[in-house]
């Protein structure tokens, strides 16, 4: 059990942190004994008998003077290198003079970010930044795009976990890994352009012709596309007048069949625009006119029915839901009217979102949101592979979006070729295989068709994910699984520090996979940890203990 000492202003972010690092903990009580004491800032050291004390603070604390810890530098916005892995620190931090440089180092200054030593029969690790301020930054404003590829929040959890395990303190955890799988994948599709026929000489068509005719030629010369793709694009451009006349097939239509064929049994999630010709609002008034979609959910009722019948989920691709809950309610109702679903999740069109959006979406009755991500790059805006609860809402979970196709391929963003994109995606899949959690991918409705033809990269990604033992979940299923994990309550029954009982409080039946209880340093085993599956409750009395 971890006891946490912190200012009451930090309690909300601490609670959320321990939903993501799901391990037994509580706010410090003087009548209790803890194996680990985690202090955010000053305090609580003298009375405690904890075997391991962790002090996270970016300023001097009383302990520094008592133990004569020498501060090397005071900085902000630094990168710490943790066993060669980069952890950006967004607030203030301090580094120490000492001999611990191999564990956590300031990348540039080469001073130690941590000072560990034995003190009065216990190990004290002094870490030079404010853990929960860092978590707050990640869960609110998020990381700048330059550090998008670093799952910073998950690395903070990993560092804390490693410090506990390395000091041979018993630790159990419910990792973000569904039983029977290695991680979760959410394949999602924002439906912006289900038909080219309903665009007549607007900016979409001008963009289409420019990219299909000219940019494709340039891309051929730069070896970014094949001659076959060039001809497919030119043929599509030539066919366009005939599409308008009804003499040729609308090549953006039929996205449902293309995705069902490619994804097969991996049920994906389609976010659908509720109302046509409505650009919605931004912070300055009306959003740009070309934000308006040329269709509304009502226009693709048949497609929606086919996707739902195939096991896919239909969510709201919101217009103004991010801004106020009344519009949000209206937009959710329109999707509910067509699909009959009561629980509807959201991703905002053009990723419109601000600090108040989570509250607006929760009040509107959204089941979850999946908007938080980057439009210009791929990776971890909130620093995590996990669904999390934004700090100011009661129940709404954010399922962060990690990959959007347009970010990978548009020249104004990353401008990658498909093989280059595949390499980047492999790294993201490596991360989620290692960390657990979920990778959420957004491939737009028209992206398999001319002029994009981003088919090969997506097919390879889905294939790679299948081979890595992922659970393909719709966004609603994934958030249900995270809710199930969040509902776990740990009980210690007083039989000793090594006894933990874990119980799932919300019932999700068999609709989502089970959980695992992970026991580190298990008794009588040389494994780093053992996992035991559970679906309702588990008692790990027999497992825990320091075995090494
Ligand atoms: Zn959109």
């Amino acid at each position: 059990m971890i006891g946490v000492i912190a200012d009451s202003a930090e309690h909300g972010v601490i609670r959320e942190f321990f939903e993501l690092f799901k391990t037994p903990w509580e706010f410090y009580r003087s009548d209790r004994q803890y194996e680990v004491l985690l202090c955010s800032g000053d305090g609580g050291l003298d009375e405690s008998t904890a075997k391991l004390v962790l002090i996270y603070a970016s300023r001097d604390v009383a302990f520094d003077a008592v133990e004569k810890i020498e501060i090397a530098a005071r900085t902000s916005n630094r990168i710490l290198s943790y066993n060669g892995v980069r952890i950006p620190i967004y607030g203030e931090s301090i580094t120490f003079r000492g001999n611990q440089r191999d564990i956590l180092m300031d990348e540039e200054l080469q001073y130690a970010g941590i000072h560990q030593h034995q003190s009065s029969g216990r190990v004290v690790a002094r870490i030079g930044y404010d853990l929960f301020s860092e978590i707050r930054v990640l869960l609110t404003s998020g990381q700048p795009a330059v550090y998008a590829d670093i799952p910073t929040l998950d690395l903070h959890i990993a560092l804390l976990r490693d410090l506990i395990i390395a000091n041979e303190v018993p630790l159990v955890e419910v990792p973000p890994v569904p039983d029977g799988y290695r991680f979760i994948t959410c394949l999602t599709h924002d439906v912006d352009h289900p038909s080219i026929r309903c665009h007549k000489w607007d900016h979409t068509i001008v963009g289409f012709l420019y990219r299909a005719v000219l940019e494709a030629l340039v891309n051929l010369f730069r070896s970014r596309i094949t001659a076959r793709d060039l001809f497919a694009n030119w043929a599509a451009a030539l066919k366009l007048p005939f599409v308008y006349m009804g003499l040729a097939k609308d090549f953006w239509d039929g996205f449902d069949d293309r995705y069902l064929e490619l994804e097969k049994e991996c049920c994906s999630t389609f976010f659908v625009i509720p109302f046509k010709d409505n650009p919605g609002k931004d912070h300055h008034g009306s959003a740009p006119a070309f934000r308006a979609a040329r269709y509304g959910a009502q226009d693709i009722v048949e497609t929606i029915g086919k996707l739902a019948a195939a096991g896919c989920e239909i969510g709201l691709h919101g217009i103004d839901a991010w801004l106020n809950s009344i519009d949000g309610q209206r937009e959710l109702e329109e999707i509910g009217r067509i699909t009959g679903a009561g629980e509807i999740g959201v991703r905002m069109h053009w990723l419109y979102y601000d600090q108040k959006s989570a509250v607006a979406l929760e009040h509107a009755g959204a089941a979850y949101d999946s908007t938080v991500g980057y439009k210009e790059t791929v990776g971890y805006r909130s620093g995590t592979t996990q669904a999390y609860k934004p700090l100011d809402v009661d129940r709404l979970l954010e399922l962060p979006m990690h990959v959007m196709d347009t970010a990978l391929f548009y020249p104004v963003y990353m401008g990658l070729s498909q093989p280059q994109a595949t390499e980047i995606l492999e790294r993201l899949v490596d991360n989620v295989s290692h960390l657990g959690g979920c990778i959420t991918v957004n491939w737009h409705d028209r992206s398999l068709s001319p002029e994009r033809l981003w088919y090969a990269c997506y097919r390879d990604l889905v294939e790679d994910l299948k081979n890595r033992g992922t659970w393909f979940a719709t966004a609603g299923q994934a958030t249900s699984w995270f809710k199930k994990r969040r509902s776990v309550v740990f009980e210690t029954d007083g039989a000793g520090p090594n006894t933990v009982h874990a119980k799932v409080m919300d019932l999700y039946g068999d609709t989502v996979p089970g959980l695992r209880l992970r026991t580190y340093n298990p008794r009588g085993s040389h494994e780093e940890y053992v996992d035991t599956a559970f679906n309702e409750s588990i008692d790990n009395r027999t497992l825990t203990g320091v075995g090494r």
Side-chain angles (χ1 to χ4, degrees), residues 190-192 273 317 348-351 444:
D190 290 358
V191 180
D192 291 340
I273 298 269
H317 201 28
M348 294 308 305
H349 186 38
W350 285 20
L351 307 186
H444 284 82

Side-chain angles (χ1 to χ4, degrees), residues 221-403:
F221 286 125
R222 296 171 68 203
S223 304
R224 298 202 153 217
I225 64 167
T226 60
R228 198 181 147 163
D229 284 357
L230 177 72
F231 291 127
N233 276 338
W234 282 4
L238 287 170
K239 243 189 341 192
L240 192 56
F242 300 97
V243 172
Y244 287 143
M245 287 188 275
L247 298 172
K249 190 180 169 341
D250 185 330
F251 42 80
W252 287 358
D253 189 16
F255 69 89
D256 47 344
D257 292 329
R258 284 187 287 279
Y259 278 112
L260 288 175
E261 163 70 22
L262 193 156
E263 292 165 355
K264 302 235 161 48
E265 69 285 0
C266 334
C267 299
S268 56
T269 304
F270 292 78
F271 292 101
V272 173
I273 298 269
F275 307 114
K276 73 192 303 181
D277 297 334
N278 179 5
K281 299 185 253 323
D282 62 16
H283 282 303
H284 312 290
S286 184
F290 60 99
R291 182 170 179 256
R294 291 278 173 260
Y295 85 101
Q298 179 61 45
D299 302 319
I300 57 163
V301 168
E302 252 177 62
T303 304
I304 288 175
K306 195 201 287 182
L307 290 169
C312 295
E313 181 185 320
I314 306 298
L316 165 68
H317 201 28
I319 301 170
D320 287 328
W322 67 286
L323 204 52
N324 74 76
S325 55
I326 294 170
D327 284 320
Q329 227 168 348
R330 216 163 45 87
E331 295 176 8
L332 286 163
E333 273 167 18
E334 177 64 3
I335 303 301
R337 188 180 67 76
I338 290 165
T339 61
E343 295 269 281
I344 298 163
V346 177
R347 176 175 299 132
M348 294 308 305
H349 186 38
W350 285 20
L351 307 186
Y352 275 24
Y353 203 81
D354 69 14
Q355 293 295 327
K356 295 176 184 161
S357 294
V359 171
L361 290 167
E362 176 163 277
H363 287 168
Y368 61 83
D369 177 71
S370 184
T371 305
V372 176
Y374 298 102
K375 75 170 192 292
E376 70 274 44
T377 187
V378 298
Y380 312 95
R381 177 162 224 139
S382 316
T384 182
T385 61
Q386 296 197 44
Y388 61 90
K389 189 163 75 63
L391 298 177
D392 42 6
V393 300
D394 292 328
R395 52 153 196 93
L396 183 94
L397 291 195
E398 175 63 39
L399 183 70
M401 183 192 73
H402 302 110
V403 176

Side-chain angles (χ1 to χ4, degrees), residues 176-178 181-185 429 432-434 436-439 464-465 468-472:
V177 185
Y181 303 93
R182 290 178 65 190
F183 60 96
I184 306 171
T185 297
V429 179
V432 72
S433 317
H434 177 66
C438 181
I439 179 165
D464 185 24
L465 289 161
R468 305 252 207 151
T470 194
W471 173 43
F472 286 100

Side-chain angles (χ1 to χ4, degrees), residues 1-2 18 21-25 35-36 161 164-165 169-175 485 488-492 497-502 516-522 528-532 534 538-545:
M1 168 85 84
I2 302 175
F18 281 106
F21 180 25
K22 192 77 187 177
T23 186
W25 75 283
E35 286 98 50
V36 179
R161 180 193 295 120
I164 296 172
I165 297 169
V169 177
L171 179 72
V172 296
E173 174 186 10
V174 178
R485 172 170 171 259
V488 168
V489 171
F490 295 105
E491 286 160 11
T492 46
N498 296 340
T499 306
V500 173
H501 181 72
R516 303 157 180 242
L517 188 72
R518 182 162 291 178
T519 306
Y520 293 90
N521 295 330
E528 187 197 350
Y529 61 77
V530 293
D531 279 354
T532 316
F534 72 109
I538 188 168
D539 208 331
N540 86 323
R541 189 182 314 254
T542 51
L543 284 170
T544 333

Side-chain angles (χ1 to χ4, degrees), residues 47-75:
E47 321 87 65
S48 167
T49 56
K51 188 173 171 189
L52 173 65
V53 179
L54 302 156
I55 307 170
Y56 283 90
S58 66
R59 290 156 200 248
D60 308 51
V61 294
F63 177 80
D64 301 340
V66 173
E67 297 297 332
K68 301 191 174 62
I69 298 175
E70 258 188 276
I71 311 268
R74 292 166 205 278
T75 53

